[in-house]
């Protein structure tokens, strides 16, 4: 017998075969694992027995086309007795150059993962050329074994299940790239890839019907799609999201950053460059727009009555008794000499220089004006 997955070949099996070289061929469960296909490593001969189980299909293939297709569990002996079923194969085996091959295919659904080996260059309006890498998962099965062997395995001359699965994964990556390109033509930027992953998965699933259908392969599900951006672009995307929260666009943020760097390093090239001047100007414009936005966001406060400080001129509340800026009492007195209006705590007139306030008479202790030369109470000189 020859069991699928074993290393036994015609040469190693020759001593145990019958006089006409017939063998019983089966794909044992111990060798199936997650292999979608197994090609029997031996030409099929007349009187060989092919064992087909419930979960598999056997396909006879010769010279670029399928000769027989068996999907019912049974043992099939290649003799003249089953010629109505395997007539094409038997005729092939009866010729001078007898050569026929058997492929086993599993019926079950497989889960696979794909990932790009080479980056996809996405030309973004804002970031320029961005290299993308995509990763994801998918579920698939062989839908049409005849087309699968004729159009896919036979055409590309695949000998192992690994070659087949690798090819399917490569095609999945191409479909993702195609879907991204489709959305890009509609104006999607690189920053919008993340929120559109589900849409991309659905586009890929839809495109897979035509792409894999002609090869007899059916893609049942696309999930877990992940698009990896370069680190610097990812940071910019994150920053942009933060800027949107503040109401500023990314260009304004960039120019603001340039302004800050120039301020930190005024002697550097960034500070001396002509171009950075425009960046600084734009940065101020950004600050202005952000300030306006912040001002617009603040609730309008009701206007309070105000007045000018009698001493320093600062605008203060109308009912303030002392200036919050200079501390002057908010009362006025009249200069007894020139009648000018002066702060209540002024000691000299700011107009004529006369002394203000009062003083004590040294003779009678009466309160007299500060500029008096004689006491108006006792007449003594002060």
């Amino acid at each position: 017998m020859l069991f699928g997955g074993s290393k036994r070949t015609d040469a190693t099996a020759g001593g145990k075969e019958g006089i006409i070289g017939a063998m019983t061929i089966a794909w044992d469960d111990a060798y199936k694992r997650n292999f979608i296909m197994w090609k029997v490593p031996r030409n099929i001969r007349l009187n060989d027995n092919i064992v087909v189980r419930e979960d598999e299909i056997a396909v006879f293939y010769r010279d670029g086309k399928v000769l027989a297709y068996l999907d019912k569990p049974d043992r099939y002996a290649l003799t003249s007795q089953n010629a109505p079923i395997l007539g094409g194969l038997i005729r092939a085996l009866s010729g001078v150059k007898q050569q026929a091959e058997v492929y086993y295919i599993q019926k079950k659904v497989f889960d696979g993962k794909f990932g790009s080996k080479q980056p996809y260059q996405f030309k973004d309006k804002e970031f320029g050329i961005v290299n993308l890498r995509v990763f994801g998962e998918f579920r698939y099965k062989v839908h049409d074994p005849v087309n699968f062997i004729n159009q896919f395995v036979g055409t590309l001359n695949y000998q192992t299940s690994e070659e087949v699965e690798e090819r399917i994964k490569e095609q999945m990556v191409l479909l993702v790239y195609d879907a991204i390109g489709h959305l890009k033509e509609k104006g999607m930027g690189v920053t919008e890839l993340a929120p559109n992953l589900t849409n991309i998965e659905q586009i890929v699933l839809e495109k897979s019907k035509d792409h894999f259908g002609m090869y007899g392969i059916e893609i049942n599900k696309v999930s877990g799609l992940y698009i990896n951006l370069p680190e610097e672009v990812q940071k910019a995307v994150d920053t942009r999201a933060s800027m949107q929260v503040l109401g500023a666009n990314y260009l304004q943020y960039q120019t603001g950053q340039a302004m800050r760097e120039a301020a930190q390093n005024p002697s550097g090239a960034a500070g001396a460059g002509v171009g950075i001047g425009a960046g600084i100007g734009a940065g101020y414009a950004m600050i202005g727009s952000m300030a306006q936005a912040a001002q617009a966001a603040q609730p309008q406060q009701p206007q309070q009555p105000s007045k000018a400080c009698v001493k320093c001129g600062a605008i203060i509340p109308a009912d303030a008794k002392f200036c919050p800026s200079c501390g002057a009492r908010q009362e006025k007195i009249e200069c007894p000499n020139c009648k000018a209006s002066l702060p209540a705590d002024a000691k000299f007139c700011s107009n004529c220089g006369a002394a203000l306030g009062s003083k004590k008479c040294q003779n009678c202790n009466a309160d007299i004006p500060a500029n008096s030369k004689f006491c108006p109470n006792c007449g003594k000189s002060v």
Side-chain angles (χ1 to χ4, degrees):
M1 293 188 66
L2 178 62
F3 290 99
S6 70
K7 296 182 180 179
R8 188 175 181 182
T9 64
D10 279 0
T12 59
K16 297 182 179 180
E17 295 175 353
I19 57 175
I20 59 175
M23 295 182 68
T24 296
I25 301 171
W27 192 9
D28 194 81
D29 289 342
Y31 302 106
K32 284 183 178 177
R33 301 191 183 112
N34 288 321
F35 298 137
I36 192 173
M37 179 198 80
W38 176 54
K39 178 185 178 183
V40 177
R42 173 188 186 277
N43 286 335
I44 303 303
R45 300 169 182 169
L46 192 62
N47 290 323
D48 275 346
N49 286 263
I50 302 297
V51 177
V52 178
R53 293 187 171 87
E54 185 71 33
D55 61 342
E56 62 194 22
I57 298 169
V59 179
F60 292 97
Y61 181 82
R62 179 179 181 269
D63 296 336
K65 65 179 181 180
V66 172
L67 300 179
Y69 163 76
L70 302 173
D71 62 346
K72 295 181 180 179
D74 206 341
R75 175 190 291 268
Y76 297 88
L78 306 182
T79 67
S80 58
Q81 294 177 357
N82 51 26
I85 301 175
L86 305 174
L89 176 64
I90 293 176
R91 285 194 297 274
L93 297 176
S94 300
V96 177
K97 295 182 179 178
Q98 298 179 1
Q99 185 174 7
E101 298 166 321
V102 168
Y103 291 89
Y104 280 95
I105 300 169
Q106 290 210 58
K107 293 180 180 178
K108 73 174 188 178
V109 175
F110 289 85
D111 290 318
K113 296 181 179 180
F114 62 84
S116 55
K117 296 179 181 177
Q118 299 297 328
Y120 173 76
Q121 293 190 327
F122 187 100
K123 189 175 183 180
D124 186 79
K125 294 179 181 177
E126 192 165 356
F127 296 98
I129 299 296
V130 179
N131 290 326
L132 305 178
R133 291 184 181 276
V134 301
F135 305 90
E137 301 174 358
F138 67 113
R139 183 166 291 174
Y140 65 103
K141 70 175 183 179
V142 175
H143 172 68
D144 186 337
V146 175
N147 280 341
F148 177 69
I149 297 299
N150 274 339
Q151 305 298 331
F152 197 74
V153 177
T155 301
L156 300 174
N157 193 30
Y158 289 140
Q159 303 294 313
T160 66
S161 182
E162 289 85 352
E163 291 177 321
V164 171
E165 291 163 0
E166 186 64 24
R167 178 71 175 184
I168 295 175
K169 293 175 182 178
E170 291 175 355
Q171 295 298 304
M172 287 299 299
V173 172
L174 293 180
L175 284 181
V176 175
Y177 287 167
D178 189 48
I180 293 174
H182 175 72
L183 293 176
K184 178 178 173 297
E185 290 177 355
K186 292 187 174 182
M188 187 185 71
V190 70
T191 59
E192 299 165 290
L193 288 174
N196 280 284
L197 290 178
T198 302
N199 292 337
I200 296 173
E201 290 175 352
Q202 293 304 314
I203 294 173
V204 172
L205 187 61
E206 186 64 28
K207 287 180 175 291
S208 70
K209 295 177 181 176
D210 292 334
H211 187 83
F212 285 105
M214 60 183 297
Y215 300 127
I217 300 170
E218 179 179 294
I219 306 299
N220 301 119
K221 181 180 180 182
V222 180
S223 61
L225 184 63
Y226 174 70
I227 300 178
N228 186 28
L229 301 175
E231 183 178 357
E232 62 275 15
V233 176
Q234 185 62 58
K235 289 181 178 177
V237 171
D238 295 341
T239 301
R240 176 172 177 160
S242 300
M243 291 299 99
Q244 288 177 340
V245 173
L246 296 175
N249 64 39
Y250 184 70
L251 179 59
Q252 289 176 326
Y253 173 78
Q254 285 181 310
T255 51
Q257 287 292 101
M259 178 191 69
R260 188 181 69 175
E261 293 174 0
Q264 292 176 345
N265 185 21
S267 60
V274 175
I276 201 61
I280 292 174
Y284 277 117
M286 183 201 74
I287 293 175
S289 63
M290 293 179 69
Q292 291 175 1
Q295 186 176 8
Q298 293 179 351
Q300 295 294 328
Q301 298 295 331
Q303 294 292 329
Q304 297 291 334
S306 60
K307 62 182 179 181
C309 173
V310 297
K311 184 177 182 181
C312 68
I315 303 301
I316 61 176
D319 56 351
K321 295 182 178 180
F322 296 91
C323 176
S325 177
C326 66
R329 179 185 297 174
Q330 298 305 301
E331 295 178 0
K332 288 188 176 180
I333 58 174
E334 189 179 78
C335 174
N337 183 44
C338 67
K339 309 302 180 184
S341 181
L342 302 170
D345 57 351
K347 297 186 181 300
F348 297 91
C349 176
S350 59
N351 184 47
C352 65
L356 303 176
S358 62
K359 58 183 179 181
K360 295 289 185 179
C361 173
Q362 297 177 352
N363 182 48
C364 64
N365 202 34
D367 290 327
I368 59 175
N371 59 347
S372 298
K373 294 182 179 179
F374 296 94
C375 175
N377 184 46
C378 63
K380 293 292 183 179
S381 175
V382 295

